Amino acid sequence: MYEGMVTARRYEERLQEEYLEGKQPAFDISAGPIPGELHLAAGHEASGAGVCIHLRDGDTVTAPHRPHHVAIAKGVDLKRMTAEIFGRETGLCKGKGGHMHLFDPDVNFACSGIIAQGCPPAVGAAMAAKKRNTDEVAVAFLGEGAIDQGGFLESLNLASVHDLPVVFVVEDNDWAISMPKERVTDVTDGSQRANGFGLPGVRVDFDDALAVYDAAEEAVGRARDGNGPTLIEVQVHRRMGHFMGDAEGYRPENDVERASRLDSIPRLAEDLRKRGVDDDGLEEIRTRAHERVEEAIEWAKEQPEPKPEAALEDAFAGPPEGAAEPPAAAETDGGERSDGPRITPGERSGSDGGEE
Amino acid sequence: MAQQADAAGRELTMSRAMVEAIAHEMREDEEVFVMGEDVADYGGIFGSTDGLLAEFGRDRVMDVPISETSFVGAGVGAAQAGMRPIVELMFVDFFGVCMDQIYNNMAKNTYMSGGSVNVPMVLMTAVGGSYNDAAQHSQTLYGTFAHLPGMKVVVPSTAYDAKGLMHNAVRDDDPVVYMFHKRLMGLGWMPSPAGPKTDVPEEPYSIPFGEADVKREGEDVTVVTLGLHVHRALEAADELSRTDGIDTEVVDLRTLKPLDTETVVDSVRKTGRLVVVDEDYRSYGVTGEIVARVAEGALSDLEAVERVAIPDVPIPYARPLEEAVNPGVEDIADAIRATR
């Protein structure tokens, strides 16, 4: 768990450095080696690591638009994920998804750039597991800014009424972009949302990875044993702006300081020391994590950019093996067309239109 | 005509034909299931799932809470997990409640994942007016769904087509939006015109997507349409044949994505005249798209163009108002005459 958290933290630090290359001194969101928006999750590591450690490859995770720490905890291929974030051909999604839309079917990981909208598909994955009589579970991660969304509340209800093996994990970092939590809800403890839907709600305060571990162990076990969904809200802290380039003019200075003070990683290190892990042991973990991150970033940067004509592929599934050619009369919209438009990299605009 | 003569004279309503295809696919594949509002005990408000509960039980024919975002999105999740859900959105007008799941997840996940994730689900929904249910329950919205990339869009006009297209929809590895017109379903409380009840073979058969069907051959003018208005166009064509001696060809698109441009263009090359009839809004819709495709493919053959569609107003309630905006047989006949 500690190694996963340290890996995620180092990964975010390195992405930040790479992202800013070419975007200074004048900030241009589409410039540099990493295009588009970048939402970092430094300060959220305890929730991803504490929950996903209880999951297997066959379990499904849907993450929100701040997904890296969850992806790393779920075991998403780090090199291909990094290549995707750099917009490369060998990325997880061939450069068509980007950092908010990472898909790794090998470990059943998906994410969405739209607030709370990963919740219904997680319910569907749980529905599939129940229909197939497996003990697989699904976990939907979302931010506290999403707990007023219909998609989330409807999902709690549907999961509850059908006793589906889902765990909803709300990461409460107090901020929905520039909107402080107290200005969007009068409910301090978001896990109370569970009360209206007949499922258990648990809140874990103080960025405590071990407490997340315990709460998730119970919730995942409950789901796996066929006893239905659970809502967990985890207090985390946002150590950076909402997105890279966010000047955070709305945020009080002491809030930034507080996020740093309550950091979950030194807290877990202290817990581990108390349990007899010495500093050399912790340093060894850190070194290993840093090397893994460096390797992924170096590999990603060496990967080729996708060919412009690939923009016209993958709107639909490929034909099944052994399928006949489509009838000549039918024009396959969205598929490959030899006379289709060509998009050159220079014509692309910077933002992918994801949720800001 | 694609109507099969070997159907042994067994006529079905469109809803029975759809249910027959769904039931067959459910028997063949345990991963196929149906989910939606009132699809189990009620059998679907428009009869689209009638009788399935008795054979397949509640695990595979699931009534769900009235919360379209969650259950349409759950369909996406189940499809991504490898199942083949058929999800009913009761009225297409309700798409606004759950559009994010439809066009940001269902339609885009295959592309955004670089093809590593498939979403083999059918989103089945009722469209159309002509029964005075006003602006929130009478829209057709073909253009909205066909405009957004990543989903296939199917619009049957007969029982024969409805069954073959449904078999294909369930077997397809992509999200398919299957839009059935309420007035074609053969419901006791909403009488259908004569056309949609057709001979339907008992055995399964598949109608590929992207193949328009020439429902009536003619030499003088091409009418391109779909859904309910295939039958209105056929009626107008028969009338004009008697009264004006105009020989009208009626092309039924059957699928909007993929679109069979070739059949449309070939027909216009033959007749030189094009009328497009659509129950959707006029602006930025099917009529504009078809005219554009014909202009791209057969500009020099094109002598006249007419469009018949809902003028850009919400669907009104009162009978004379709705009749004024919904293209009728006479509107179509007038448009055909106007191309001469």
Side-chain angles (χ1 to χ4, degrees), chain B residues 260-280:
Chain B
D260 181 1
T261 306
E262 194 170 315
T263 295
V264 173
V265 168
D266 284 351
S267 178
V268 175
R269 284 206 180 104
K270 179 174 71 172
T271 64
R273 294 177 168 81
L274 172 65
V275 176
V276 191
V277 183
D278 182 16
E279 197 181 325
D280 198 358

Side-chain angles (χ1 to χ4, degrees), chain B residues 36-51:
Chain B
E37 292 150 358
D38 306 293
V39 296
D41 299 272
Y42 200 104
I45 294 296
F46 302 105
S48 55
T49 56
D50 194 27

Side-chain angles (χ1 to χ4, degrees), chain B:
Chain B
M1 296 282 286
Q3 306 303 322
Q4 303 298 292
D6 59 356
R10 194 184 65 122
E11 277 199 347
L12 292 186
T13 62
M14 206 167 95
S15 63
R16 292 313 308 162
M18 285 167 60
V19 170
E20 200 168 271
I22 293 170
H24 177 88
E25 296 299 328
M26 289 180 79
R27 278 178 220 122
E28 291 285 304
D29 185 354
E30 283 284 322
E31 304 281 11
V32 180
F33 71 98
V34 176
M35 170 165 57
E37 292 150 358
D38 306 293
V39 296
D41 299 272
Y42 200 104
I45 294 296
F46 302 105
S48 55
T49 56
D50 194 27
L52 294 175
L53 177 65
E55 180 175 353
F56 299 102
R58 287 189 194 281
D59 282 348
R60 298 187 67 198
V61 185
M62 294 174 67
D63 275 337
V64 290
I66 304 173
S67 57
E68 287 82 358
T69 294
S70 70
F71 73 77
V72 172
V76 175
Q80 287 179 183
M83 298 197 79
R84 291 188 173 267
I86 301 169
V87 181
E88 180 164 287
L89 174 64
M90 191 186 285
F91 287 75
V92 75
D93 312 74
F94 305 165
F95 81 103
V97 180
C98 54
M99 193 53 161
D100 189 75
Q101 288 299 329
I102 296 171
Y103 91 116
N104 269 324
N105 284 346
M106 183 186 92
K108 290 180 185 167
N109 282 359
T110 298
Y111 188 78
M112 290 200 302
S113 69
S116 69
V117 169
N118 291 347
V119 189
M121 72 183 270
V122 179
L123 182 67
M124 176 163 80
T125 188
V127 303
S130 79
Y131 63 107
N132 318 113
D133 221 14
Q136 294 178 345
H137 292 74
S138 303
Q139 294 174 105
T140 307
L141 301 179
Y142 297 141
T144 302
F145 292 88
H147 174 66
L148 297 162
M151 44 198 154
K152 296 171 180 174
V153 181
V154 176
V155 183
S157 69
T158 67
Y160 180 85
D161 289 356
K163 178 170 170 175
L165 291 167
M166 181 60 83
H167 279 296
N168 217 42
V170 178
R171 294 170 191 174
D172 200 287
D173 288 331
D174 290 311
V176 177
V177 182
Y178 187 106
M179 306 175 86
F180 59 83
H181 198 292
K182 300 152 206 162
R183 191 166 283 291
L184 298 178
M185 294 294 270
L187 306 166
W189 47 279
M190 195 187 292
S192 296
K197 194 172 180 184
T198 62
D199 289 353
V200 177
E202 281 185 51
E203 64 273 15
Y205 57 94
S206 181
I207 295 176
F209 296 159
E211 288 190 11
D213 185 38
V214 179
K215 288 281 194 284
R216 183 187 197 280
E217 290 187 1
E219 297 297 323
D220 298 334
V221 56
T222 297
V223 175
V224 176
T225 187
L226 68 171
L228 172 67
H229 285 75
V230 169
H231 304 285
R232 293 187 172 176
L234 288 170
E235 198 179 327
D238 287 346
E239 182 186 313
L240 287 174
S241 164
R242 286 192 306 273
T243 57
D244 296 51
I246 301 174
D247 189 16
T248 304
E249 181 147 305
V250 177
V251 177
D252 178 359
L253 290 171
R254 295 202 295 199
T255 66
L256 288 170
K257 275 276 180 81
L259 183 70
D260 181 1
T261 306
E262 194 170 315
T263 295
V264 173
V265 168
D266 284 351
S267 178
V268 175
R269 284 206 180 104
K270 179 174 71 172
T271 64
R273 294 177 168 81
L274 172 65
V275 176
V276 191
V277 183
D278 182 16
E279 197 181 325
D280 198 358
Y281 306 117
R282 180 182 175 93
S283 294
Y284 309 99
V286 171
T287 57
E289 181 64 31
I290 296 298
V291 172
R293 299 249 182 161
V294 171
E296 286 167 342
L299 188 59
S300 58
D301 298 297
L302 199 53
E303 292 169 40
V305 173
E306 289 289 327
R307 291 201 272 163
V308 188
I310 303 270
D312 297 330
V313 292
I315 316 297
Y317 166 66
R319 202 166 285 125
L321 300 181
E322 188 183 18
E323 281 172 7
V325 302
N326 197 334
V329 176
E330 275 312 304
D331 299 316
I332 300 169
D334 288 347
I336 293 170
R337 282 192 199 97
T339 62
R340 304 276 287 171

Side-chain angles (χ1 to χ4, degrees), chain A residues 39-216:
Chain A
H39 310 81
L40 297 178
H44 289 212
E45 293 89 348
S47 98
V51 173
C52 292
I53 196 161
H54 301 292
L55 303 180
R56 311 166 185 159
D57 285 356
D59 297 327
T60 295
V61 163
T62 64
H65 65 287
R66 201 182 296 284
H68 307 145
H69 64 303
V70 184
I72 288 168
K74 183 64 170 73
V76 169
D77 188 309
L78 193 65
K79 285 182 174 173
R80 294 189 62 216
M81 165 170 149
T82 312
E84 183 60 32
I85 294 168
F86 279 79
R88 303 305 165 105
E89 189 177 34
T90 49
L92 280 177
C93 314
K94 303 184 195 165
K96 287 176 176 139
H99 108 99
M100 281 187 279
H101 318 111
L102 301 166
F103 293 83
D104 189 348
D106 291 344
V107 294
N108 289 317
F109 180 88
C111 52
S112 170
I114 314 287
I115 296 299
Q117 295 290 7
C119 297
V123 169
M127 202 178 263
K130 187 174 180 186
K131 285 180 184 302
R132 287 166 166 165
N133 233 350
T134 71
D135 65 351
E136 286 161 357
V137 304
V139 181
F141 285 83
L142 62 153
E144 100 289 338
I147 62 172
D148 305 306
Q149 273 276 354
F152 166 60
L153 300 169
E154 290 184 26
S155 295
L156 291 181
N157 185 57
L158 186 58
S160 183
V161 79
H162 284 286
D163 288 325
L164 299 176
V166 197
V167 181
F168 300 93
V169 180
V170 175
E171 299 180 317
D172 174 15
N173 69 11
D174 291 322
W175 291 97
I177 311 186
S178 69
M179 187 68 97
K181 185 177 177 182
E182 66 268 17
R183 275 173 56 203
V184 293
T185 175
D186 286 341
V187 179
T188 314
D189 176 355
S191 70
Q192 288 178 11
R193 288 279 194 278
N195 297 348
F197 299 98
L199 66 151
V202 184
R203 177 158 165 109
V204 178
D205 285 317
F206 309 121
D207 249 329
D208 184 344
L210 294 177
V212 177
Y213 179 100
D214 290 341

